[in-house]
Amino acid sequence: DAGVIQSPRHEVTEMGQEVTLRCKPISGHDYLFWYRQTMMRGLELLIYFNNNVPIDDSGMPEDRFSAKMPNASFSTLKIQPSEPRDSAVYFCASTQWSGSGWETQYFGPGTRLLVL
Amino acid sequence: DAKTTQPPSMDCAEGRAANLPCNHSTISGNEYVYWYRQIHSQGPQYIIHGLKNNETNEMASLIITEDRKSSTLILPHATLRDTAVYYCIVRARMDSSYKLIFGSGTRLLVRP
């Protein structure tokens, strides 16, 4: 398997523009997570899905952020409108329920977002 | 989930063992200890996990004290490629949630 795939790898945009980040989880995984990493706040969970359904979005910073998972192989994280403080590295991760309760999360390479 | 405490940074010489401590004094009986690491600019990578017994895999060993209030990740023969931030995470075995709460971690520098 190619692992978790994220696109784009780098994004530079201007304040006020819409930004869409994309993620393809590992085939067969039924959990998908979106994380954000900044120097100030470290690595924080934004939202996660189980079987394409959002389970916990308590980490989403505000209404400008939205995430969708239309099918098992694709998810998007959208920021509209973007602001300079949204500049960060956004990671997508996936895992598969196995019944053991300790499943490993596999992370993608991240999208480096810079909002000017 | 229990809180963890790790030293902000450590270093070791290449080829020597790297011993990374983690304190989790408030851990409860059903909580596992996980270790992930993040090499510069990459996504975090799973290393190992354990409940109460010591564990070993191809990457590392995990030593958990008998009272489970602390643990040590051991990289037996550190290489330059092991330079990374290491995160110790405590999480309950859950049926419906897989949230990982990452702290500040320990920045390990392996010296040539």
mmCIF file of all heavy atoms in Angstrom, chain A residues 6-33:
data_model
loop_
_atom_site.group_PDB
_atom_site.id
_atom_site.type_symbol
_atom_site.label_atom_id
_atom_site.label_comp_id
_atom_site.label_asym_id
_atom_site.label_seq_id
_atom_site.Cartn_x
_atom_site.Cartn_y
_atom_site.Cartn_z
ATOM 1 N N GLN A 6 -1.566 12.616 0.915
ATOM 2 C CA GLN A 6 -2.121 13.951 1.105
ATOM 3 C C GLN A 6 -1.718 14.851 -0.066
ATOM 4 O O GLN A 6 -0.617 14.733 -0.604
ATOM 5 C CB GLN A 6 -1.609 14.572 2.407
ATOM 6 C CG GLN A 6 -2.128 13.881 3.655
ATOM 7 C CD GLN A 6 -1.727 14.626 4.918
ATOM 8 O OE1 GLN A 6 -0.957 14.108 5.739
ATOM 9 N NE2 GLN A 6 -2.263 15.830 5.098
ATOM 10 N N SER A 7 -2.631 15.734 -0.397
ATOM 11 C CA SER A 7 -2.315 16.712 -1.435
ATOM 12 C C SER A 7 -3.045 18.022 -1.130
ATOM 13 O O SER A 7 -4.116 18.012 -0.509
ATOM 14 C CB SER A 7 -2.726 16.197 -2.822
ATOM 15 O OG SER A 7 -4.140 16.025 -2.894
ATOM 16 N N PRO A 8 -2.477 19.156 -1.523
ATOM 17 C CA PRO A 8 -1.114 19.257 -2.028
ATOM 18 C C PRO A 8 -0.106 19.101 -0.889
ATOM 19 O O PRO A 8 -0.476 19.088 0.270
ATOM 20 C CB PRO A 8 -1.096 20.685 -2.595
ATOM 21 C CG PRO A 8 -2.035 21.440 -1.698
ATOM 22 C CD PRO A 8 -3.134 20.467 -1.371
ATOM 23 N N ARG A 9 1.155 18.984 -1.198
ATOM 24 C CA ARG A 9 2.173 18.895 -0.153
ATOM 25 C C ARG A 9 2.516 20.282 0.394
ATOM 26 O O ARG A 9 2.870 20.434 1.557
ATOM 27 C CB ARG A 9 3.432 18.226 -0.707
ATOM 28 C CG ARG A 9 3.229 16.773 -1.116
ATOM 29 C CD ARG A 9 2.964 15.876 0.107
ATOM 30 N NE ARG A 9 3.991 16.024 1.123
ATOM 31 C CZ ARG A 9 5.163 15.403 1.080
ATOM 32 N NH1 ARG A 9 5.431 14.557 0.102
ATOM 33 N NH2 ARG A 9 6.047 15.597 2.042
ATOM 34 N N HIS A 10 2.395 21.266 -0.464
ATOM 35 C CA HIS A 10 2.642 22.653 -0.066
ATOM 36 C C HIS A 10 1.559 23.530 -0.665
ATOM 37 O O HIS A 10 1.132 23.298 -1.799
ATOM 38 C CB HIS A 10 4.015 23.136 -0.561
ATOM 39 C CG HIS A 10 5.159 22.311 -0.062
ATOM 40 N ND1 HIS A 10 5.807 22.570 1.120
ATOM 41 C CD2 HIS A 10 5.760 21.217 -0.586
ATOM 42 C CE1 HIS A 10 6.761 21.671 1.297
ATOM 43 N NE2 HIS A 10 6.756 20.844 0.284
ATOM 44 N N GLU A 11 1.120 24.512 0.104
ATOM 45 C CA GLU A 11 0.097 25.431 -0.373
ATOM 46 C C GLU A 11 0.419 26.821 0.163
ATOM 47 O O GLU A 11 0.572 26.989 1.374
ATOM 48 C CB GLU A 11 -1.289 24.979 0.094
ATOM 49 C CG GLU A 11 -2.424 25.907 -0.293
ATOM 50 C CD GLU A 11 -2.881 25.697 -1.725
ATOM 51 O OE1 GLU A 11 -2.726 24.576 -2.240
ATOM 52 O OE2 GLU A 11 -3.376 26.667 -2.334
ATOM 53 N N VAL A 12 0.503 27.767 -0.746
ATOM 54 C CA VAL A 12 0.671 29.162 -0.358
ATOM 55 C C VAL A 12 -0.524 29.931 -0.902
ATOM 56 O O VAL A 12 -0.816 29.837 -2.095
ATOM 57 C CB VAL A 12 1.984 29.759 -0.908
ATOM 58 C CG1 VAL A 12 2.110 31.218 -0.468
ATOM 59 C CG2 VAL A 12 3.182 28.953 -0.431
ATOM 60 N N THR A 13 -1.200 30.657 -0.054
ATOM 61 C CA THR A 13 -2.376 31.376 -0.482
ATOM 62 C C THR A 13 -2.451 32.714 0.233
ATOM 63 O O THR A 13 -1.679 32.986 1.156
ATOM 64 C CB THR A 13 -3.643 30.548 -0.179
ATOM 65 O OG1 THR A 13 -4.768 31.151 -0.816
ATOM 66 C CG2 THR A 13 -3.903 30.474 1.319
ATOM 67 N N GLU A 14 -3.360 33.515 -0.206
ATOM 68 C CA GLU A 14 -3.525 34.829 0.418
ATOM 69 C C GLU A 14 -4.722 34.819 1.357
ATOM 70 O O GLU A 14 -5.700 34.085 1.133
ATOM 71 C CB GLU A 14 -3.692 35.902 -0.657
ATOM 72 C CG GLU A 14 -2.440 36.112 -1.488
ATOM 73 C CD GLU A 14 -2.573 37.281 -2.450
ATOM 74 O OE1 GLU A 14 -3.714 37.739 -2.676
ATOM 75 O OE2 GLU A 14 -1.524 37.725 -2.963
ATOM 76 N N MET A 15 -4.623 35.643 2.345
ATOM 77 C CA MET A 15 -5.697 35.753 3.328
ATOM 78 C C MET A 15 -7.032 35.977 2.621
ATOM 79 O O MET A 15 -7.128 36.782 1.686
ATOM 80 C CB MET A 15 -5.402 36.914 4.270
ATOM 81 C CG MET A 15 -6.422 37.115 5.362
ATOM 82 S SD MET A 15 -5.915 38.394 6.517
ATOM 83 C CE MET A 15 -5.853 39.814 5.450
ATOM 84 N N GLY A 16 -8.042 35.252 3.086
ATOM 85 C CA GLY A 16 -9.369 35.388 2.522
ATOM 86 C C GLY A 16 -9.712 34.343 1.476
ATOM 87 O O GLY A 16 -10.891 34.158 1.152
ATOM 88 N N GLN A 17 -8.713 33.667 0.969
ATOM 89 C CA GLN A 17 -8.952 32.648 -0.046
ATOM 90 C C GLN A 17 -9.404 31.341 0.597
ATOM 91 O O GLN A 17 -9.129 31.065 1.763
ATOM 92 C CB GLN A 17 -7.688 32.401 -0.866
ATOM 93 C CG GLN A 17 -7.221 33.613 -1.663
ATOM 94 C CD GLN A 17 -8.240 34.030 -2.693
ATOM 95 O OE1 GLN A 17 -8.688 33.238 -3.517
ATOM 96 N NE2 GLN A 17 -8.636 35.299 -2.645
ATOM 97 N N GLU A 18 -10.081 30.551 -0.186
ATOM 98 C CA GLU A 18 -10.498 29.216 0.258
ATOM 99 C C GLU A 18 -9.358 28.234 0.017
ATOM 100 O O GLU A 18 -8.696 28.274 -1.020
ATOM 101 C CB GLU A 18 -11.736 28.771 -0.510
ATOM 102 C CG GLU A 18 -12.198 27.363 -0.161
ATOM 103 C CD GLU A 18 -13.436 26.963 -0.936
ATOM 104 O OE1 GLU A 18 -14.502 27.558 -0.694
ATOM 105 O OE2 GLU A 18 -13.338 26.051 -1.785
ATOM 106 N N VAL A 19 -9.153 27.378 1.003
ATOM 107 C CA VAL A 19 -8.110 26.364 0.898
ATOM 108 C C VAL A 19 -8.742 24.991 1.107
ATOM 109 O O VAL A 19 -9.546 24.806 2.032
ATOM 110 C CB VAL A 19 -7.024 26.569 1.979
ATOM 111 C CG1 VAL A 19 -6.004 25.448 1.936
ATOM 112 C CG2 VAL A 19 -6.344 27.921 1.798
ATOM 113 N N THR A 20 -8.403 24.046 0.250
ATOM 114 C CA THR A 20 -8.905 22.680 0.389
ATOM 115 C C THR A 20 -7.740 21.714 0.433
ATOM 116 O O THR A 20 -6.927 21.661 -0.495
ATOM 117 C CB THR A 20 -9.839 22.304 -0.769
ATOM 118 O OG1 THR A 20 -10.958 23.195 -0.776
ATOM 119 C CG2 THR A 20 -10.347 20.880 -0.601
ATOM 120 N N LEU A 21 -7.679 20.968 1.520
ATOM 121 C CA LEU A 21 -6.653 19.944 1.693
ATOM 122 C C LEU A 21 -7.301 18.582 1.495
ATOM 123 O O LEU A 21 -8.441 18.370 1.917
ATOM 124 C CB LEU A 21 -6.031 20.037 3.089
ATOM 125 C CG LEU A 21 -5.586 21.433 3.545
ATOM 126 C CD1 LEU A 21 -4.965 21.367 4.923
ATOM 127 C CD2 LEU A 21 -4.644 22.060 2.549
ATOM 128 N N ARG A 22 -6.560 17.671 0.902
ATOM 129 C CA ARG A 22 -7.125 16.373 0.534
ATOM 130 C C ARG A 22 -6.340 15.230 1.156
ATOM 131 O O ARG A 22 -5.127 15.332 1.358
ATOM 132 C CB ARG A 22 -7.153 16.228 -0.976
ATOM 133 C CG ARG A 22 -8.029 17.262 -1.672
ATOM 134 C CD ARG A 22 -7.900 17.235 -3.174
ATOM 135 N NE ARG A 22 -8.815 18.178 -3.810
ATOM 136 C CZ ARG A 22 -8.600 19.490 -3.912
ATOM 137 N NH1 ARG A 22 -7.495 20.029 -3.414
ATOM 138 N NH2 ARG A 22 -9.499 20.260 -4.501
ATOM 139 N N CYS A 23 -7.062 14.149 1.409
ATOM 140 C CA CYS A 23 -6.446 12.989 2.033
ATOM 141 C C CYS A 23 -7.064 11.710 1.495
ATOM 142 O O CYS A 23 -8.285 11.584 1.391
ATOM 143 C CB CYS A 23 -6.613 13.040 3.548
ATOM 144 S SG CYS A 23 -5.986 11.573 4.414
ATOM 145 N N LYS A 24 -6.194 10.766 1.195
ATOM 146 C CA LYS A 24 -6.635 9.419 0.820
ATOM 147 C C LYS A 24 -6.085 8.466 1.870
ATOM 148 O O LYS A 24 -4.863 8.297 1.972
ATOM 149 C CB LYS A 24 -6.112 9.037 -0.560
ATOM 150 C CG LYS A 24 -6.443 7.616 -0.989
ATOM 151 C CD LYS A 24 -5.912 7.334 -2.383
ATOM 152 C CE LYS A 24 -5.979 5.858 -2.744
ATOM 153 N NZ LYS A 24 -7.327 5.301 -2.591
ATOM 154 N N PRO A 25 -6.949 7.852 2.674
ATOM 155 C CA PRO A 25 -6.452 6.947 3.722
ATOM 156 C C PRO A 25 -5.959 5.630 3.136
ATOM 157 O O PRO A 25 -6.166 5.335 1.959
ATOM 158 C CB PRO A 25 -7.689 6.734 4.592
ATOM 159 C CG PRO A 25 -8.841 6.870 3.645
ATOM 160 C CD PRO A 25 -8.410 7.931 2.666
ATOM 161 N N ILE A 26 -5.335 4.847 3.969
ATOM 162 C CA ILE A 26 -4.922 3.509 3.566
ATOM 163 C C ILE A 26 -6.161 2.660 3.300
ATOM 164 O O ILE A 26 -7.128 2.709 4.085
ATOM 165 C CB ILE A 26 -4.026 2.866 4.644
ATOM 166 C CG1 ILE A 26 -2.702 3.633 4.737
ATOM 167 C CG2 ILE A 26 -3.776 1.388 4.362
ATOM 168 C CD1 ILE A 26 -1.804 3.210 5.885
ATOM 169 N N SER A 27 -6.138 1.929 2.226
ATOM 170 C CA SER A 27 -7.291 1.122 1.834
ATOM 171 C C SER A 27 -7.675 0.149 2.944
ATOM 172 O O SER A 27 -6.823 -0.552 3.510
ATOM 173 C CB SER A 27 -6.951 0.338 0.560
ATOM 174 O OG SER A 27 -8.018 -0.506 0.185
ATOM 175 N N GLY A 28 -8.953 0.134 3.265
ATOM 176 C CA GLY A 28 -9.448 -0.766 4.299
ATOM 177 C C GLY A 28 -9.522 -0.147 5.681
ATOM 178 O O GLY A 28 -10.144 -0.717 6.586
ATOM 179 N N HIS A 29 -8.893 0.993 5.861
ATOM 180 C CA HIS A 29 -8.965 1.661 7.162
ATOM 181 C C HIS A 29 -10.313 2.358 7.316
ATOM 182 O O HIS A 29 -10.808 2.986 6.382
ATOM 183 C CB HIS A 29 -7.834 2.677 7.300
ATOM 184 C CG HIS A 29 -6.506 2.046 7.604
ATOM 185 N ND1 HIS A 29 -5.405 2.779 7.984
ATOM 186 C CD2 HIS A 29 -6.128 0.748 7.608
ATOM 187 C CE1 HIS A 29 -4.394 1.952 8.206
ATOM 188 N NE2 HIS A 29 -4.808 0.715 7.977
ATOM 189 N N ASP A 30 -10.883 2.229 8.517
ATOM 190 C CA ASP A 30 -12.206 2.793 8.726
ATOM 191 C C ASP A 30 -12.217 4.012 9.637
ATOM 192 O O ASP A 30 -13.283 4.548 9.943
ATOM 193 C CB ASP A 30 -13.164 1.713 9.241
ATOM 194 C CG ASP A 30 -12.608 0.961 10.443
ATOM 195 O OD1 ASP A 30 -11.477 1.274 10.882
ATOM 196 O OD2 ASP A 30 -13.290 0.046 10.936
ATOM 197 N N TYR A 31 -11.036 4.428 10.104
ATOM 198 C CA TYR A 31 -10.937 5.665 10.874
ATOM 199 C C TYR A 31 -9.999 6.625 10.143
ATOM 200 O O TYR A 31 -8.935 6.222 9.671
ATOM 201 C CB TYR A 31 -10.364 5.405 12.272
ATOM 202 C CG TYR A 31 -11.358 4.852 13.251
ATOM 203 C CD1 TYR A 31 -11.670 3.497 13.262
ATOM 204 C CD2 TYR A 31 -11.997 5.680 14.177
ATOM 205 C CE1 TYR A 31 -12.578 2.981 14.163
ATOM 206 C CE2 TYR A 31 -12.905 5.164 15.086
ATOM 207 C CZ TYR A 31 -13.198 3.807 15.068
ATOM 208 O OH TYR A 31 -14.107 3.309 15.965
ATOM 209 N N LEU A 32 -10.398 7.890 10.122
ATOM 210 C CA LEU A 32 -9.561 8.912 9.507
ATOM 211 C C LEU A 32 -9.504 10.112 10.440
ATOM 212 O O LEU A 32 -10.529 10.526 10.993
ATOM 213 C CB LEU A 32 -10.110 9.318 8.138
ATOM 214 C CG LEU A 32 -9.254 10.346 7.371
ATOM 215 C CD1 LEU A 32 -9.193 9.989 5.893
ATOM 216 C CD2 LEU A 32 -9.748 11.763 7.586
ATOM 217 N N PHE A 33 -8.291 10.666 10.589
ATOM 218 C CA PHE A 33 -8.051 11.757 11.531
ATOM 219 C C PHE A 33 -7.398 12.929 10.787
ATOM 220 O O PHE A 33 -6.553 12.728 9.919
ATOM 221 C CB PHE A 33 -7.092 11.311 12.638
ATOM 222 C CG PHE A 33 -7.513 10.062 13.366
ATOM 223 C CD1 PHE A 33 -7.285 8.811 12.821
ATOM 224 C CD2 PHE A 33 -8.127 10.147 14.598
ATOM 225 C CE1 PHE A 33 -7.659 7.654 13.493
ATOM 226 C CE2 PHE A 33 -8.501 8.998 15.284
ATOM 227 C CZ PHE A 33 -8.270 7.756 14.722
#
